[in-house]
Amino acid sequence: MFFKRNFPNTRLRRLRQTSALRDLVSETHLSLTDLIQPIFITNNKDMVGKISSLPDIERIHIEDINREIDMILELGIRSVAIFPVIDPDKKDDAGTYATDEDNFLFKVLKNLTEKYENLITIADVALDPYTSHGHDGIVSDNKVLNDETNIALKDQATLLAMSGAKIIAPSDMMDGRIDVIRNHLDSCGMQDTIILSYAAKFASNLYGPFRDAVGSLNNLANASKATYQMDHRNIDEALHEVALDLNEGADIVMIKPALNYLDVISKVKETFKVPTFAYQVSGEYSMIMNAVNAEIIDKNVMLESLMSIKRAGADAIFTYAAKAISKELKKDE
Ligand code: PBG
């Protein structure tokens, strides 16, 4: 870049004089269609309600899901990521309820598919809501087994797809799972099911409130996921993960968490030029909201954070703040 003119001819403050001018020259735009609202659902009335570590987010009973979706669509949000909260007595070592045809999640997805033609439903593929140890895969001798887990994941993904999930989202970080899942979906006639791969998912310390919400925090009992999720010191490895998942057939790749990994989002988008999503995870959301609620920082920090994730290159963002922010975005329209 070469700029010949200098002060006083060049005054960058000229374009900052009014909000209309600032909007006119703004480089980054966040729209309602970029937002994905995560939702926690349960079939157990005792588990319904507030999640103390996740301000303003509630576990919703499956009977109330339509009301919730109506509200979300009304706000202009079109995508939801649905996470089941499973009764402790349904959890076991192998997470078998994940592939049990009676799993209430499949019925919920069927109902949503029938009722809401334009809703984009995203379903997580991983065993952690279902396992008694809280890991994302099958455990033997204190090891999370890769290939055995992939078999369970392909069955789980297929049942989710057959229940109508538009997008299935493997969040487990097993090696080779996109390949196994894509091939199996295709052999079952589910070629049109989209795979959003949590391609670069880091073993972050920011997932605590989510684990609290789905009840896997106690199951996990401080165990680490570092043997399958990525080391937060690595970015070349993140590109390697993304390359593999794209080769295996992922349609969309995701970086998670978002704010501490803006460099990764930017590099992935620049390198691969494919649909790239980011997950503003529970800990990120919670830190901001707790500080806002304690009046330590202004509530606009949330918008600033989401904008920075978009500026880094994310095409869409999973955020617990989707509903609240959509009201802000509408005000500006
Ligand atoms: C499970 C899963 C996790 C999140 C999404 N899917 C937790 C984990 O990996 O332990 C975290 C989301 C969040 O913190 O908001 N595979």
Side-chain angles (χ1 to χ4, degrees), residues 128 136 171-174 201-205 207 211 224-232 237 241 256:
D128 58 314
D136 291 34
S171 70
D172 53 284
M173 291 297 281
M174 296 302 117
K201 177 173 179 176
F202 290 85
S204 171
N205 300 295
Y207 304 146
R211 294 175 187 169
S224 151
K225 297 192 177 184
T227 68
Y228 45 107
Q229 298 180 348
M230 275 191 58
D231 189 315
H232 62 251
E237 189 191 359
E241 282 282 5
K256 176 187 173 181

Side-chain angles (χ1 to χ4, degrees), residues 83 124-126 128-129 136 171-172 198 201 206-211 216 220 225 229 256 279-283 320:
F83 295 100
D124 228 50
V125 179
D128 58 314
D136 291 34
S171 70
D172 53 284
Y198 285 67
K201 177 173 179 176
L206 289 163
Y207 304 146
F210 173 95
R211 294 175 187 169
S216 69
L220 211 54
K225 297 192 177 184
Q229 298 180 348
K256 176 187 173 181
Y279 201 139
Q280 183 193 50
V281 300
S282 57
Y320 299 94

Side-chain angles (χ1 to χ4, degrees), residues 104-307:
F104 67 86
L105 176 60
F106 301 136
K107 292 184 199 111
V108 168
L109 286 169
K110 277 183 192 137
N111 151 45
L112 294 180
T113 309
E114 271 165 35
K115 188 149 194 298
Y116 301 96
E117 210 190 321
N118 291 320
L119 179 72
I120 299 173
T121 46
I122 304 176
D124 228 50
V125 179
L127 299 182
D128 58 314
Y130 302 98
T131 52
S132 46
H133 42 69
H135 277 297
D136 291 34
I138 296 166
V139 175
S140 172
D141 285 338
N142 282 325
K143 241 184 109 177
V144 177
L145 302 177
N146 194 88
D147 303 9
E148 291 78 353
T149 297
N150 280 348
I151 294 170
L153 295 176
K154 76 158 172 38
D155 292 336
Q156 181 187 24
T158 308
L159 286 164
L160 291 166
M162 290 192 327
S163 305
K166 299 258 187 318
I167 301 181
I168 56 134
S171 70
D172 53 284
M173 291 297 281
M174 296 302 117
D175 285 322
R177 88 275 208 220
I178 302 298
D179 187 51
V180 174
I181 292 170
R182 180 77 271 161
N183 282 330
H184 195 249
L185 285 176
D186 290 2
S187 72
C188 296
M190 315 293 298
Q191 293 89 339
D192 290 337
T193 300
I194 297 160
I195 299 183
L196 187 177
S197 156
Y198 285 67
K201 177 173 179 176
F202 290 85
S204 171
N205 300 295
L206 289 163
Y207 304 146
F210 173 95
R211 294 175 187 169
D212 188 16
V214 301
S216 69
L217 198 60
N218 291 340
N219 299 108
L220 211 54
N222 289 328
S224 151
K225 297 192 177 184
T227 68
Y228 45 107
Q229 298 180 348
M230 275 191 58
D231 189 315
H232 62 251
R233 292 170 292 191
N234 299 347
I235 185 164
D236 287 346
E237 189 191 359
L239 298 178
H240 197 170
E241 282 282 5
V242 169
L244 290 175
D245 284 4
L246 289 171
N247 276 335
E248 290 174 30
D251 302 286
I252 304 169
V253 292
M254 182 138 78
I255 289 88
K256 176 187 173 181
L259 198 58
N260 291 356
Y261 300 86
L262 294 179
D263 56 334
V264 182
I265 298 171
S266 165
K267 205 46 166 280
V268 165
K269 188 63 185 173
E270 221 176 85
T271 307
F272 298 99
K273 305 191 191 310
V274 298
T276 303
F277 289 9
Y279 201 139
Q280 183 193 50
V281 300
S282 57
E284 293 178 62
Y285 168 84
S286 213
M287 286 196 292
I288 295 172
M289 290 312 293
N290 277 303
V292 168
N293 291 342
E295 296 182 17
I296 295 167
I297 57 172
D298 189 271
K299 75 170 181 15
N300 286 325
V301 171
M302 184 57 81
L303 197 55
E304 181 182 337
S305 184
L306 294 169
M307 230 20 124

